[in-house]
Amino acid sequence: MPHLAPVTPATIEAALAVRVRPDQEHAVSPVATSLAEAYVHPEAWPRLIMDGDRVVGFLMAFFDIDWTGDGTDFRSGLWRLNIDAGAQGRGYGRFAVTATGEELRRRGKNLLTTTWHPGPDGLGAFYRRLGFLPTGETSGGQTVGTLDLG
Ligand SMILES: CC(C)(COP(=O)(O)OP(=O)(O)OC[C@H]1O[C@@H](n2cnc3c(N)ncnc32)[C@H](O)[C@@H]1OP(=O)(O)O)[C@@H](O)C(=O)NCCC(=O)NCCS
């Protein structure tokens, strides 16, 4: 059963070694970029996706980001998701979304927001399969979608 773990001095090298497939690199920032952003954004929650003691991916959630920048709309959700090329297709992406939803629920949230590149090479099909619905908004050219956590 996979689990989430914080990035620590013991795991930082393995975290930086997570690589998506070369043809996916345009769709998601490398882990190093996400960790740099986490350093300056207190809303960021970076976590390793582990299977036993093996790092199979990386996610970065966010909690209570000021979405519109005017203090009226705070959202929480999934900012980044990188499953290692050699570990894709084994349910780790689905687990990452479920685990992020559980963390949001623990923090009293009932909606998980994410974004994806529009178009056939984007991840709309993946997120829809997991129950996300587009909100009709875009953010930085990406489609915004939400998952109702009940
Ligand atoms: C997209 C990604 C997160 C999926 O992770 P994964 O571990 O391979 O996916 P899973 O094995 O958990 O698949 C879960 C379900 O989604 C489906 N799925 C996986 N990738 C899909 C895709 N690209 N399009 C449509 N469906 C997809 C699977 O068939 C599976 O369906 P099922 O359980 O009903 O059979 C992973 O491929 C990845 O890291 N891609 C590159 C980075 C990226 O683009 N990140 C998102 C931008 S932030």
Side-chain angles (χ1 to χ4, degrees):
M1 181 64 187
H3 66 279
L4 299 184
V7 182
T8 67
T11 55
I12 181 77
E13 292 300 332
L16 295 174
V18 170
R19 293 272 185 286
V20 298
R21 293 198 321 253
D23 63 297
Q24 297 169 329
E25 282 173 357
H26 69 284
V28 64
S29 297
V31 172
T33 301
S34 295
L35 290 176
E37 288 167 335
Y39 184 73
V40 297
H41 290 285
E43 305 93 339
W45 193 75
R47 285 293 183 275
L48 296 174
I49 304 162
M50 310 283 303
D51 196 341
D53 58 5
R54 192 166 61 101
V55 174
V56 295
F58 170 86
L59 68 80
M60 192 155 83
F62 60 94
F63 302 115
D64 294 319
I65 274 190
D66 186 352
W67 193 261
T68 46
D70 60 4
T72 60
D73 183 7
F74 290 87
R75 301 196 196 180
S76 303
L78 190 54
W79 190 345
R80 297 276 159 65
L81 177 56
N82 312 44
I83 303 299
D84 193 71
Q88 293 182 10
R90 294 178 200 164
Y92 297 126
R94 181 186 286 275
F95 164 77
V97 170
T98 302
T100 301
E102 286 169 358
E103 183 63 26
L104 261 64
R105 291 289 292 153
R106 270 194 288 278
R107 295 171 184 242
K109 319 293 180 198
N110 55 17
L111 203 64
L112 194 171
T113 298
T114 196
T115 63
W116 58 80
H117 282 283
D121 64 336
L123 285 184
F126 168 72
Y127 282 115
R128 280 173 208 264
R129 194 168 189 85
L130 270 54
F132 285 79
L133 294 173
T135 63
E137 304 159 291
T138 58
S139 173
Q142 302 227 51
T143 302
V144 179
T146 54
L147 178 67
D148 188 346
L149 302 174

